[in-house]
Amino acid sequence: MRTVNAWAATSATEPLSATTIDRRDVGENDVLIEIAYAGICHSDIHTARSEWGEAPYPLVVGHEIAGTVTEVGSGVTQHAVGDRVGVGCMVNSCRECDACKAGKEQYCTQQIGTYGMTDRDGSITQGGYSTHIVVDADFTLKIPEGVGLDVAAPLLCAGVTTWSPLRRFGVGEGSKVAVVGLGGLGHMGVQLAVAMGAEVTVLSQSLKKQEDGIALGATDYRATSDESTFEDLQGTFDLIINTVSANLPIHEYMALLGVEGTLVNVGAPVEPFTVPAFSLIGGGKSLAGSMIGGIPETQEMLDFCAEKGIGSKIEIIPAEKVNEAWDRVVNSDVRYRFVIDAATI
Ligand code: NAP
Ligand code: ZN
Ligand code: ZN
């Protein structure tokens, strides 16, 4: 066991504060990672504020982790000391069920999340807002050369969460894709869809970030506060990815899909959606969901990003600014991912 620095939530309402946590000894199939950067995902905030249910306090969140391997267990063959690696939203799963065998460990009923879940030893998992983490080697990803650890960290959640549905729904050359919300997930979704050959429209609350959206490769950028957006774009898209952290009138967005188009929801607001049956049956449309991505597809996404020169657009902050950064994320004032410099934790 080793004691390491971390920033933890102690209740749903208190700001995060500096503390120490214990990390287990490096087991046979484990790696010890010295964390360099930890991205701030909106899910960290939902969880720590108990918006999705009571969180186990004290809790260290963070599941966009990038760093360097400093120790490996005796059975580890795929990672070595000095390797640049990442950890996303999962640290283990059963490995035997159909989902695990298909490389979709995120849908394993025994999947263990990087924070706030009961680990194999009965302890509660603690995430990336810390200096070190011990993780099973099979849930440790390789960060390719050419992608900085800072811009790679957000790929481990925001990247794969948008990559997975883009691949599942066959986005490619000429696909018409809309991304709703230009935040952490949204700005990755735009870049990945563009790199896959899609024609991408951003649907944002306002035109404040229009220039950025176009620079990321979008060909069209519309404000959802403008009623004419919903008139002009009726029946346009093959796929809409909704990344919004708040509730939306989903049926208005369903109307923007072409025949047999799909709206895939990755945003995770607290309130349920209301979807009239006719917004689905007219046009044979689908409403789908998607949760992060499996380990093989996460590696595929990281390699694709290296090949295409894609990274997250980040603002690096010291740990003491984390509460301020959270407020800015909640206020849609993030461009486009905050990343904590772990050396300041
Ligand atoms: P984020 O950086 O805060 O981005 C969310 C974006 O949604 C904002 O930038 C904003 O974009 C838009 N938005 C926020 N409030 C809105 C409102 N009231 N009405 C309309 N639009 C609003 O958050 P994120 O880290 O990308 O995460 C987004 C959501 O996905 C969160 O709910 C998170 O928990 C969830 N998530 C899900 C998965 C999964 O596996 N499915 C994985 C990671 C995160 P504009 O300013 O452009 O409108
Ligand atoms: Zn996340
Ligand atoms: Zn499983």
Side-chain angles (χ1 to χ4, degrees), residues 6-35:
W7 278 65
T10 50
S11 80
T13 50
E14 290 296 308
L16 303 192
S17 53
T19 185
T20 57
I21 54 170
D22 292 332
R23 295 297 191 187
R24 68 171 181 260
D25 288 333
V26 176
E28 198 183 335
N29 202 44
D30 283 339
V31 298
L32 170 65
I33 300 166
E34 184 179 340
I35 300 174

PDB file of all heavy atoms in Angstrom, residues 6-35:
ATOM      1  N   ALA A   6      -4.305  13.503  -3.370  1.00  0.00           N
ATOM      2  CA  ALA A   6      -5.500  13.504  -4.207  1.00  0.00           C
ATOM      3  C   ALA A   6      -6.386  14.683  -3.823  1.00  0.00           C
ATOM      4  O   ALA A   6      -6.161  15.326  -2.789  1.00  0.00           O
ATOM      5  CB  ALA A   6      -6.260  12.196  -4.012  1.00  0.00           C
ATOM      6  N   TRP A   7      -7.370  14.974  -4.681  1.00  0.00           N
ATOM      7  CA  TRP A   7      -8.410  15.941  -4.350  1.00  0.00           C
ATOM      8  C   TRP A   7      -9.728  15.193  -4.320  1.00  0.00           C
ATOM      9  O   TRP A   7     -10.060  14.475  -5.278  1.00  0.00           O
ATOM     10  CB  TRP A   7      -8.454  17.093  -5.373  1.00  0.00           C
ATOM     11  CG  TRP A   7      -7.418  18.133  -5.056  1.00  0.00           C
ATOM     12  CD1 TRP A   7      -6.064  17.958  -5.089  1.00  0.00           C
ATOM     13  CD2 TRP A   7      -7.654  19.479  -4.630  1.00  0.00           C
ATOM     14  NE1 TRP A   7      -5.428  19.121  -4.713  1.00  0.00           N
ATOM     15  CE2 TRP A   7      -6.378  20.066  -4.432  1.00  0.00           C
ATOM     16  CE3 TRP A   7      -8.788  20.257  -4.404  1.00  0.00           C
ATOM     17  CZ2 TRP A   7      -6.221  21.397  -4.011  1.00  0.00           C
ATOM     18  CZ3 TRP A   7      -8.647  21.570  -3.998  1.00  0.00           C
ATOM     19  CH2 TRP A   7      -7.370  22.134  -3.792  1.00  0.00           C
ATOM     20  N   ALA A   8     -10.470  15.357  -3.222  1.00  0.00           N
ATOM     21  CA  ALA A   8     -11.662  14.540  -3.023  1.00  0.00           C
ATOM     22  C   ALA A   8     -12.898  15.379  -2.742  1.00  0.00           C
ATOM     23  O   ALA A   8     -12.815  16.490  -2.218  1.00  0.00           O
ATOM     24  CB  ALA A   8     -11.428  13.590  -1.852  1.00  0.00           C
ATOM     25  N   ALA A   9     -14.041  14.800  -3.089  1.00  0.00           N
ATOM     26  CA  ALA A   9     -15.335  15.359  -2.680  1.00  0.00           C
ATOM     27  C   ALA A   9     -15.681  14.717  -1.342  1.00  0.00           C
ATOM     28  O   ALA A   9     -15.550  13.501  -1.186  1.00  0.00           O
ATOM     29  CB  ALA A   9     -16.399  15.018  -3.714  1.00  0.00           C
ATOM     30  N   THR A  10     -16.112  15.550  -0.396  1.00  0.00           N
ATOM     31  CA  THR A  10     -16.464  15.002   0.910  1.00  0.00           C
ATOM     32  C   THR A  10     -17.971  14.978   1.139  1.00  0.00           C
ATOM     33  O   THR A  10     -18.462  14.344   2.061  1.00  0.00           O
ATOM     34  CB  THR A  10     -15.794  15.811   2.034  1.00  0.00           C
ATOM     35  OG1 THR A  10     -16.077  17.196   1.798  1.00  0.00           O
ATOM     36  CG2 THR A  10     -14.279  15.611   2.021  1.00  0.00           C
ATOM     37  N   SER A  11     -18.692  15.695   0.292  1.00  0.00           N
ATOM     38  CA  SER A  11     -20.165  15.665   0.337  1.00  0.00           C
ATOM     39  C   SER A  11     -20.652  16.210  -1.000  1.00  0.00           C
ATOM     40  O   SER A  11     -19.853  16.652  -1.826  1.00  0.00           O
ATOM     41  CB  SER A  11     -20.698  16.534   1.481  1.00  0.00           C
ATOM     42  OG  SER A  11     -20.692  17.903   1.086  1.00  0.00           O
ATOM     43  N   ALA A  12     -21.970  16.194  -1.191  1.00  0.00           N
ATOM     44  CA  ALA A  12     -22.534  16.656  -2.464  1.00  0.00           C
ATOM     45  C   ALA A  12     -22.395  18.162  -2.632  1.00  0.00           C
ATOM     46  O   ALA A  12     -22.462  18.680  -3.746  1.00  0.00           O
ATOM     47  CB  ALA A  12     -24.003  16.258  -2.541  1.00  0.00           C
ATOM     48  N   THR A  13     -22.186  18.876  -1.527  1.00  0.00           N
ATOM     49  CA  THR A  13     -22.223  20.332  -1.610  1.00  0.00           C
ATOM     50  C   THR A  13     -20.898  21.028  -1.294  1.00  0.00           C
ATOM     51  O   THR A  13     -20.669  22.160  -1.722  1.00  0.00           O
ATOM     52  CB  THR A  13     -23.301  20.882  -0.640  1.00  0.00           C
ATOM     53  OG1 THR A  13     -23.074  20.275   0.631  1.00  0.00           O
ATOM     54  CG2 THR A  13     -24.698  20.540  -1.134  1.00  0.00           C
ATOM     55  N   GLU A  14     -20.008  20.342  -0.582  1.00  0.00           N
ATOM     56  CA  GLU A  14     -18.714  20.957  -0.242  1.00  0.00           C
ATOM     57  C   GLU A  14     -17.812  21.001  -1.480  1.00  0.00           C
ATOM     58  O   GLU A  14     -17.848  20.090  -2.304  1.00  0.00           O
ATOM     59  CB  GLU A  14     -17.991  20.105   0.819  1.00  0.00           C
ATOM     60  CG  GLU A  14     -18.622  20.124   2.182  1.00  0.00           C
ATOM     61  CD  GLU A  14     -18.588  21.500   2.824  1.00  0.00           C
ATOM     62  OE1 GLU A  14     -17.483  22.086   2.879  1.00  0.00           O
ATOM     63  OE2 GLU A  14     -19.661  21.998   3.217  1.00  0.00           O
ATOM     64  N   PRO A  15     -16.970  22.047  -1.591  1.00  0.00           N
ATOM     65  CA  PRO A  15     -15.986  22.028  -2.683  1.00  0.00           C
ATOM     66  C   PRO A  15     -14.998  20.881  -2.506  1.00  0.00           C
ATOM     67  O   PRO A  15     -14.826  20.380  -1.381  1.00  0.00           O
ATOM     68  CB  PRO A  15     -15.282  23.384  -2.556  1.00  0.00           C
ATOM     69  CG  PRO A  15     -15.688  23.965  -1.258  1.00  0.00           C
ATOM     70  CD  PRO A  15     -16.907  23.250  -0.754  1.00  0.00           C
ATOM     71  N   LEU A  16     -14.344  20.481  -3.574  1.00  0.00           N
ATOM     72  CA  LEU A  16     -13.305  19.449  -3.469  1.00  0.00           C
ATOM     73  C   LEU A  16     -12.161  19.991  -2.633  1.00  0.00           C
ATOM     74  O   LEU A  16     -11.879  21.188  -2.655  1.00  0.00           O
ATOM     75  CB  LEU A  16     -12.766  19.073  -4.857  1.00  0.00           C
ATOM     76  CG  LEU A  16     -13.731  18.586  -5.919  1.00  0.00           C
ATOM     77  CD1 LEU A  16     -12.958  18.000  -7.106  1.00  0.00           C
ATOM     78  CD2 LEU A  16     -14.691  17.559  -5.378  1.00  0.00           C
ATOM     79  N   SER A  17     -11.467  19.107  -1.922  1.00  0.00           N
ATOM     80  CA  SER A  17     -10.334  19.562  -1.113  1.00  0.00           C
ATOM     81  C   SER A  17      -9.191  18.555  -1.175  1.00  0.00           C
ATOM     82  O   SER A  17      -9.394  17.380  -1.487  1.00  0.00           O
ATOM     83  CB  SER A  17     -10.786  19.779   0.330  1.00  0.00           C
ATOM     84  OG  SER A  17     -11.433  18.622   0.802  1.00  0.00           O
ATOM     85  N   ALA A  18      -7.986  19.051  -0.862  1.00  0.00           N
ATOM     86  CA  ALA A  18      -6.791  18.210  -0.917  1.00  0.00           C
ATOM     87  C   ALA A  18      -6.821  17.194   0.212  1.00  0.00           C
ATOM     88  O   ALA A  18      -7.238  17.498   1.333  1.00  0.00           O
ATOM     89  CB  ALA A  18      -5.544  19.088  -0.802  1.00  0.00           C
ATOM     90  N   THR A  19      -6.367  15.983  -0.110  1.00  0.00           N
ATOM     91  CA  THR A  19      -6.343  14.916   0.884  1.00  0.00           C
ATOM     92  C   THR A  19      -5.286  13.887   0.469  1.00  0.00           C
ATOM     93  O   THR A  19      -4.523  14.123  -0.460  1.00  0.00           O
ATOM     94  CB  THR A  19      -7.744  14.256   0.990  1.00  0.00           C
ATOM     95  OG1 THR A  19      -7.740  13.300   2.040  1.00  0.00           O
ATOM     96  CG2 THR A  19      -8.161  13.560  -0.303  1.00  0.00           C
ATOM     97  N   THR A  20      -5.245  12.768   1.178  1.00  0.00           N
ATOM     98  CA  THR A  20      -4.417  11.643   0.722  1.00  0.00           C
ATOM     99  C   THR A  20      -5.295  10.399   0.663  1.00  0.00           C
ATOM    100  O   THR A  20      -6.288  10.301   1.391  1.00  0.00           O
ATOM    101  CB  THR A  20      -3.223  11.377   1.667  1.00  0.00           C
ATOM    102  OG1 THR A  20      -3.732  11.136   2.968  1.00  0.00           O
ATOM    103  CG2 THR A  20      -2.248  12.534   1.675  1.00  0.00           C
ATOM    104  N   ILE A  21      -4.927   9.481  -0.221  1.00  0.00           N
ATOM    105  CA  ILE A  21      -5.643   8.201  -0.326  1.00  0.00           C
ATOM    106  C   ILE A  21      -4.616   7.080  -0.427  1.00  0.00           C
ATOM    107  O   ILE A  21      -3.461   7.313  -0.769  1.00  0.00           O
ATOM    108  CB  ILE A  21      -6.576   8.143  -1.562  1.00  0.00           C
ATOM    109  CG1 ILE A  21      -5.813   8.468  -2.855  1.00  0.00           C
ATOM    110  CG2 ILE A  21      -7.775   9.063  -1.387  1.00  0.00           C
ATOM    111  CD1 ILE A  21      -6.598   8.191  -4.129  1.00  0.00           C
ATOM    112  N   ASP A  22      -5.073   5.860  -0.151  1.00  0.00           N
ATOM    113  CA  ASP A  22      -4.184   4.706  -0.274  1.00  0.00           C
ATOM    114  C   ASP A  22      -4.380   4.033  -1.621  1.00  0.00           C
ATOM    115  O   ASP A  22      -5.511   3.878  -2.072  1.00  0.00           O
ATOM    116  CB  ASP A  22      -4.488   3.690   0.844  1.00  0.00           C
ATOM    117  CG  ASP A  22      -4.096   4.230   2.203  1.00  0.00           C
ATOM    118  OD1 ASP A  22      -3.165   5.059   2.256  1.00  0.00           O
ATOM    119  OD2 ASP A  22      -4.742   3.844   3.203  1.00  0.00           O
ATOM    120  N   ARG A  23      -3.297   3.650  -2.234  1.00  0.00           N
ATOM    121  CA  ARG A  23      -3.342   2.823  -3.444  1.00  0.00           C
ATOM    122  C   ARG A  23      -2.804   1.454  -3.086  1.00  0.00           C
ATOM    123  O   ARG A  23      -1.798   1.350  -2.355  1.00  0.00           O
ATOM    124  CB  ARG A  23      -2.486   3.436  -4.560  1.00  0.00           C
ATOM    125  CG  ARG A  23      -2.957   4.779  -5.077  1.00  0.00           C
ATOM    126  CD  ARG A  23      -4.331   4.697  -5.723  1.00  0.00           C
ATOM    127  NE  ARG A  23      -4.654   5.936  -6.449  1.00  0.00           N
ATOM    128  CZ  ARG A  23      -5.858   6.172  -6.987  1.00  0.00           C
ATOM    129  NH1 ARG A  23      -6.847   5.293  -6.868  1.00  0.00           N
ATOM    130  NH2 ARG A  23      -6.075   7.295  -7.644  1.00  0.00           N
ATOM    131  N   ARG A  24      -3.433   0.410  -3.648  1.00  0.00           N
ATOM    132  CA  ARG A  24      -3.003  -0.952  -3.305  1.00  0.00           C
ATOM    133  C   ARG A  24      -1.601  -1.244  -3.831  1.00  0.00           C
ATOM    134  O   ARG A  24      -1.116  -0.562  -4.743  1.00  0.00           O
ATOM    135  CB  ARG A  24      -3.998  -1.969  -3.886  1.00  0.00           C
ATOM    136  CG  ARG A  24      -3.991  -2.054  -5.406  1.00  0.00           C
ATOM    137  CD  ARG A  24      -4.827  -3.239  -5.905  1.00  0.00           C
ATOM    138  NE  ARG A  24      -4.805  -3.338  -7.355  1.00  0.00           N
ATOM    139  CZ  ARG A  24      -5.769  -2.907  -8.164  1.00  0.00           C
ATOM    140  NH1 ARG A  24      -6.850  -2.318  -7.661  1.00  0.00           N
ATOM    141  NH2 ARG A  24      -5.667  -3.061  -9.478  1.00  0.00           N
ATOM    142  N   ASP A  25      -1.001  -2.287  -3.273  1.00  0.00           N
ATOM    143  CA  ASP A  25       0.292  -2.747  -3.800  1.00  0.00           C
ATOM    144  C   ASP A  25       0.088  -3.222  -5.233  1.00  0.00           C
ATOM    145  O   ASP A  25      -1.013  -3.653  -5.593  1.00  0.00           O
ATOM    146  CB  ASP A  25       0.825  -3.916  -2.954  1.00  0.00           C
ATOM    147  CG  ASP A  25       1.293  -3.445  -1.593  1.00  0.00           C
ATOM    148  OD1 ASP A  25       1.694  -2.269  -1.487  1.00  0.00           O
ATOM    149  OD2 ASP A  25       1.217  -4.236  -0.631  1.00  0.00           O
ATOM    150  N   VAL A  26       1.141  -3.176  -5.999  1.00  0.00           N
ATOM    151  CA  VAL A  26       1.068  -3.600  -7.399  1.00  0.00           C
ATOM    152  C   VAL A  26       0.958  -5.127  -7.449  1.00  0.00           C
ATOM    153  O   VAL A  26       1.872  -5.835  -7.044  1.00  0.00           O
ATOM    154  CB  VAL A  26       2.328  -3.109  -8.162  1.00  0.00           C
ATOM    155  CG1 VAL A  26       2.332  -3.630  -9.595  1.00  0.00           C
ATOM    156  CG2 VAL A  26       2.377  -1.586  -8.137  1.00  0.00           C
ATOM    157  N   GLY A  27      -0.203  -5.605  -7.903  1.00  0.00           N
ATOM    158  CA  GLY A  27      -0.424  -7.055  -8.000  1.00  0.00           C
ATOM    159  C   GLY A  27       0.207  -7.614  -9.267  1.00  0.00           C
ATOM    160  O   GLY A  27       0.740  -6.870 -10.099  1.00  0.00           O
ATOM    161  N   GLU A  28       0.062  -8.933  -9.414  1.00  0.00           N
ATOM    162  CA  GLU A  28       0.702  -9.630 -10.525  1.00  0.00           C
ATOM    163  C   GLU A  28       0.374  -9.019 -11.890  1.00  0.00           C
ATOM    164  O   GLU A  28       1.240  -8.886 -12.749  1.00  0.00           O
ATOM    165  CB  GLU A  28       0.252 -11.087 -10.491  1.00  0.00           C
ATOM    166  CG  GLU A  28       1.135 -11.991 -11.293  1.00  0.00           C
ATOM    167  CD  GLU A  28       0.608 -13.426 -11.283  1.00  0.00           C
ATOM    168  OE1 GLU A  28      -0.117 -13.795 -10.329  1.00  0.00           O
ATOM    169  OE2 GLU A  28       0.921 -14.145 -12.252  1.00  0.00           O
ATOM    170  N   ASN A  29      -0.907  -8.660 -12.084  1.00  0.00           N
ATOM    171  CA  ASN A  29      -1.307  -8.124 -13.402  1.00  0.00           C
ATOM    172  C   ASN A  29      -1.562  -6.611 -13.372  1.00  0.00           C
ATOM    173  O   ASN A  29      -2.277  -6.080 -14.212  1.00  0.00           O
ATOM    174  CB  ASN A  29      -2.552  -8.870 -13.912  1.00  0.00           C
ATOM    175  CG  ASN A  29      -2.688  -8.754 -15.423  1.00  0.00           C
ATOM    176  OD1 ASN A  29      -1.701  -8.892 -16.155  1.00  0.00           O
ATOM    177  ND2 ASN A  29      -3.884  -8.456 -15.905  1.00  0.00           N
ATOM    178  N   ASP A  30      -0.966  -5.934 -12.378  1.00  0.00           N
ATOM    179  CA  ASP A  30      -1.203  -4.491 -12.237  1.00  0.00           C
ATOM    180  C   ASP A  30      -0.060  -3.657 -12.797  1.00  0.00           C
ATOM    181  O   ASP A  30       1.078  -4.136 -12.904  1.00  0.00           O
ATOM    182  CB  ASP A  30      -1.294  -4.120 -10.745  1.00  0.00           C
ATOM    183  CG  ASP A  30      -2.628  -4.509 -10.133  1.00  0.00           C
ATOM    184  OD1 ASP A  30      -3.612  -4.686 -10.878  1.00  0.00           O
ATOM    185  OD2 ASP A  30      -2.672  -4.625  -8.889  1.00  0.00           O
ATOM    186  N   VAL A  31      -0.394  -2.397 -13.079  1.00  0.00           N
ATOM    187  CA  VAL A  31       0.656  -1.408 -13.329  1.00  0.00           C
ATOM    188  C   VAL A  31       0.452  -0.235 -12.363  1.00  0.00           C
ATOM    189  O   VAL A  31      -0.683   0.088 -12.008  1.00  0.00           O
ATOM    190  CB  VAL A  31       0.654  -0.875 -14.792  1.00  0.00           C
ATOM    191  CG1 VAL A  31       0.924  -1.988 -15.782  1.00  0.00           C
ATOM    192  CG2 VAL A  31      -0.636  -0.172 -15.131  1.00  0.00           C
ATOM    193  N   LEU A  32       1.538   0.364 -11.954  1.00  0.00           N
ATOM    194  CA  LEU A  32       1.479   1.601 -11.173  1.00  0.00           C
ATOM    195  C   LEU A  32       1.754   2.734 -12.145  1.00  0.00           C
ATOM    196  O   LEU A  32       2.744   2.698 -12.886  1.00  0.00           O
ATOM    197  CB  LEU A  32       2.534   1.588 -10.064  1.00  0.00           C
ATOM    198  CG  LEU A  32       2.749   2.925  -9.327  1.00  0.00           C
ATOM    199  CD1 LEU A  32       1.501   3.353  -8.546  1.00  0.00           C
ATOM    200  CD2 LEU A  32       3.939   2.817  -8.361  1.00  0.00           C
ATOM    201  N   ILE A  33       0.868   3.704 -12.166  1.00  0.00           N
ATOM    202  CA  ILE A  33       1.013   4.826 -13.096  1.00  0.00           C
ATOM    203  C   ILE A  33       1.225   6.113 -12.314  1.00  0.00           C
ATOM    204  O   ILE A  33       0.469   6.410 -11.373  1.00  0.00           O
ATOM    205  CB  ILE A  33      -0.269   4.969 -13.969  1.00  0.00           C
ATOM    206  CG1 ILE A  33      -0.510   3.685 -14.777  1.00  0.00           C
ATOM    207  CG2 ILE A  33      -0.171   6.179 -14.906  1.00  0.00           C
ATOM    208  CD1 ILE A  33      -1.902   3.608 -15.391  1.00  0.00           C
ATOM    209  N   GLU A  34       2.249   6.847 -12.708  1.00  0.00           N
ATOM    210  CA  GLU A  34       2.416   8.204 -12.186  1.00  0.00           C
ATOM    211  C   GLU A  34       1.585   9.086 -13.107  1.00  0.00           C
ATOM    212  O   GLU A  34       1.870   9.202 -14.299  1.00  0.00           O
ATOM    213  CB  GLU A  34       3.888   8.613 -12.217  1.00  0.00           C
ATOM    214  CG  GLU A  34       4.094   9.979 -11.598  1.00  0.00           C
ATOM    215  CD  GLU A  34       5.565  10.404 -11.598  1.00  0.00           C
ATOM    216  OE1 GLU A  34       6.473   9.556 -11.706  1.00  0.00           O
ATOM    217  OE2 GLU A  34       5.777  11.623 -11.508  1.00  0.00           O
ATOM    218  N   ILE A  35       0.546   9.672 -12.555  1.00  0.00           N
ATOM    219  CA  ILE A  35      -0.389  10.442 -13.384  1.00  0.00           C
ATOM    220  C   ILE A  35       0.242  11.795 -13.744  1.00  0.00           C
ATOM    221  O   ILE A  35       0.803  12.474 -12.879  1.00  0.00           O
ATOM    222  CB  ILE A  35      -1.737  10.645 -12.638  1.00  0.00           C
ATOM    223  CG1 ILE A  35      -2.371   9.270 -12.330  1.00  0.00           C
ATOM    224  CG2 ILE A  35      -2.690  11.523 -13.458  1.00  0.00           C
ATOM    225  CD1 ILE A  35      -3.629   9.326 -11.483  1.00  0.00           C
TER     226      ILE A  35
END
